Amino acid sequence: MTKPRLRFAPSPTGHLHIGGARTALYNWLIAQKTGGTFVLRVEDTDRERSTQEYVDSIMQAMTWLGLSWQEGPFFQTQRFDLYREHMQKLLAEKKAYRCYCTAEELEAKRAQATQEHRKPKYEGTCRNLTEADWAKETRPFCIRFKAPQEGSTLVKDEIKGNIEFQNKEMDDLIIWRTDDSPTYNFTVVVDDVTMNITHVIRGDDHLNNTPRQILLYEAFDYPLPIFAHVPMILGADKARLSKRHGATSVIAYRDMGYLPEALLNYLARLGWSYGDKEVMRLKEMVNYFETSAVGKSPSIFNPEKLLWLNGIYIRESKPEDLAEELIRLFKLREIEVENNATLIAAIKASQEKSKTLAEMADLVEFAFLDHVPWSEAGKKMLENEKVKDYFGRLIPKLEALNTFDRDSLHQVVETCIAELGIKLKELAQPIRAALTGTTISIGIYEAMLLLGKEKSLERLKNCLKD
């Protein structure tokens, strides 16, 4: 039995978005589960909007997610000879024909059909022209597929079930444009057949294309793949997910400090479930995933749930596994950080408080800066005259420490608040502001340990200057 072959076919007219990433994941999971092959194909026939920047971005996002492909990437713009060969085969077998109708003529007929409450579809004006008629023509032409006008086409879908389309509702599809380029529905069929794709898992926005593509498969006498159309992802307002609902690209979530494992976990569960299991590692997804278990209804994207899930993954990660990605985020802030003991200590000190790596970077950034800017709240706190008295009592005790560890620091602070007759927070908050520049941070003892004795004293003493 032939092993399954699945594909992900993004268009490089933008970054890889959340919906596309979920589609890629579902294909990848089936390939992994069955020992099949995962093929990456770049559908770049939209020459005006496709860019190398987006190609690179898609590859980067796929690599970051860990969705590795065994074959590809293949580019449609490099396969035109293959498409032309298939187009000429249909012409030779009288299954396609030249159409000389102009865009203006077609638009006028569509407008008239709409006015008469008819479905605006191509009426087959050039369908019965002969090759002798073609020989007399000098006008530009496109190539249309001669679709059957009677009967119906059945789409057998692993998610949505059987769906029947009446052939009379479908017009003769353009397969080759007047500018000498192939169209999407045609290239997809040729690609899937010549790449021996056995499963086509894609968004259900492609469902209306599927009966047209099935007719092309049948015209070529090619076997049909298994189809599975995944419902769309919607925002909380039930509208299609877009930038107004927040970030939609995978790269954006990476730069916001999300972990690939958490994003994959969330996307897998967005429309599919295995019991009530919320946290699911990639190996578990491979074992449990079935397209037949994917829901038929659209999924609602919940950023709060993704954030919650990401926090779990951060807390359960080894600090060493978070280091390189945190360094990358610091680099985006133009802060150079080395992967050393200080960074690992910073991660350990902030893991429980962080739901994203960006939050983690916010919490520990102070430890990697020569000077920290004070936030408005921090500045207001440090301008309090009492703080100078507090620090005047604290600094000599810290200077006298031979051992700079948590127990010693805790003892010094406890001694100071006892002598001053104040509560812990009255001293702890100014210490936090002096060390980190803000009133929200990791614990003050962890902050001092990250900075070390010399830097901690330097920042405290800076607050005593007029």
Side-chain angles (χ1 to χ4, degrees), residues 69-137:
W69 53 93
Q70 287 74 54
E71 293 182 15
F74 299 105
F75 294 85
Q76 287 188 326
T77 50
Q78 298 172 7
R79 296 166 61 82
F80 273 30
D81 288 346
L82 181 65
Y83 305 140
R84 191 183 306 277
E85 179 185 328
H86 280 73
M87 177 268 289
Q88 290 171 343
K89 184 176 189 297
L90 290 179
L91 279 175
E93 295 176 358
K94 312 296 185 186
K95 295 176 180 177
Y97 60 91
R98 293 183 181 183
C99 175
Y100 295 91
C101 298
T102 66
E104 292 76 18
E105 289 170 342
L106 294 173
E107 182 57 40
K109 288 182 178 181
R110 278 194 291 266
Q112 183 178 351
T114 301
Q115 188 176 3
E116 295 173 357
H117 304 291
R118 292 184 289 111
K119 183 176 180 178
K121 52 176 283 191
Y122 181 65
E123 298 174 347
T125 306
C126 301
R127 184 181 175 99
N128 296 317
L129 293 179
T130 65
E131 290 188 24
D133 294 323
W134 298 352
K136 299 174 186 177
E137 282 287 355

Side-chain angles (χ1 to χ4, degrees), residues 67-353:
L67 301 179
S68 56
W69 53 93
Q70 287 74 54
E71 293 182 15
F74 299 105
F75 294 85
Q76 287 188 326
T77 50
Q78 298 172 7
R79 296 166 61 82
F80 273 30
D81 288 346
L82 181 65
Y83 305 140
R84 191 183 306 277
E85 179 185 328
H86 280 73
M87 177 268 289
Q88 290 171 343
K89 184 176 189 297
L90 290 179
L91 279 175
E93 295 176 358
K94 312 296 185 186
K95 295 176 180 177
Y97 60 91
R98 293 183 181 183
C99 175
Y100 295 91
C101 298
T102 66
E104 292 76 18
E105 289 170 342
L106 294 173
E107 182 57 40
K109 288 182 178 181
R110 278 194 291 266
Q112 183 178 351
T114 301
Q115 188 176 3
E116 295 173 357
H117 304 291
R118 292 184 289 111
K119 183 176 180 178
K121 52 176 283 191
Y122 181 65
E123 298 174 347
T125 306
C126 301
R127 184 181 175 99
N128 296 317
L129 293 179
T130 65
E131 290 188 24
D133 294 323
W134 298 352
K136 299 174 186 177
E137 282 287 355
T138 58
R139 291 178 295 170
F141 60 86
C142 65
I143 305 296
R144 287 185 183 270
F145 171 61
K146 188 178 286 187
Q149 297 176 310
E150 297 178 349
S152 62
T153 299
L154 183 66
V155 177
K156 295 180 180 179
D157 192 280
E158 286 216 327
I159 295 173
K160 295 181 176 295
N162 291 344
I163 307 171
E164 190 174 11
F165 293 82
Q166 297 301 313
N167 291 338
K168 65 181 181 181
E169 295 297 317
M170 295 182 281
D171 54 11
D172 289 350
L173 177 71
I174 294 176
I175 60 174
W176 207 270
R177 302 183 185 92
T178 55
D179 66 359
D180 198 32
S181 67
T183 60
Y184 168 77
N185 279 302
F186 182 64
T187 58
V188 165
V189 171
V190 175
D191 283 339
D192 285 344
V193 168
T194 56
M195 293 178 183
N196 299 309
I197 299 302
T198 60
H199 295 64
V200 173
I201 303 173
R202 58 191 177 191
D204 66 1
D205 53 331
H206 290 284
L207 181 58
N208 286 334
N209 291 325
T210 304
R212 298 173 181 272
Q213 292 172 12
I214 287 176
L215 292 175
L216 285 169
Y217 276 100
E218 292 173 345
F220 285 120
D221 197 24
Y222 288 142
L224 295 178
I226 294 171
F227 289 104
H229 290 88
V230 183
M232 302 299 291
I233 300 175
L234 306 179
D237 57 359
K238 304 296 177 68
R240 185 168 178 169
L241 196 65
S242 65
K243 288 183 179 180
R244 64 192 176 88
H245 297 107
T248 61
S249 78
V250 170
I251 292 299
Y253 278 98
R254 183 185 187 185
D255 290 344
M256 288 162 61
Y258 285 80
L259 301 185
E261 300 89 344
L263 187 55
L264 289 173
N265 187 159
Y266 182 73
L267 291 178
R269 294 278 287 104
L270 200 59
W272 168 75
S273 63
Y274 184 78
D276 58 357
K277 195 172 179 61
E278 292 283 359
V279 180
M280 201 176 302
R281 303 290 172 172
L282 206 51
K283 287 184 179 179
E284 294 178 291
M285 295 183 220
V286 170
N287 289 333
Y288 301 143
F289 183 76
E290 298 283 353
T291 50
S292 58
V294 175
K296 294 179 173 62
S297 302
S299 303
I300 305 299
F301 189 80
N302 183 346
E304 290 302 318
K305 190 167 185 179
L306 172 58
L307 188 63
W308 167 79
L309 197 58
N310 199 61
I312 291 175
Y313 274 83
I314 285 179
R315 290 191 293 276
E316 293 182 355
S317 295
K318 294 179 181 178
E320 293 77 10
D321 293 338
L322 301 176
E324 288 304 319
E325 194 63 17
L326 188 60
I327 289 172
R328 191 189 70 83
L329 290 181
F330 274 129
K331 193 169 184 179
L332 294 178
R333 302 179 182 201
E334 299 183 346
I335 301 173
E336 293 297 325
V337 176
E338 294 182 7
N339 191 346
N340 55 23
T342 301
L343 178 64
I344 299 302
I347 294 172
K348 289 179 179 178
S350 56
Q351 267 182 286
E352 290 298 319
K353 291 178 175 288

Side-chain angles (χ1 to χ4, degrees), residues 55 186 197 275 329 356 359 446:
V55 171
F186 182 64
I197 299 302
L329 290 181
T356 69
E359 286 184 5
E446 286 78 7

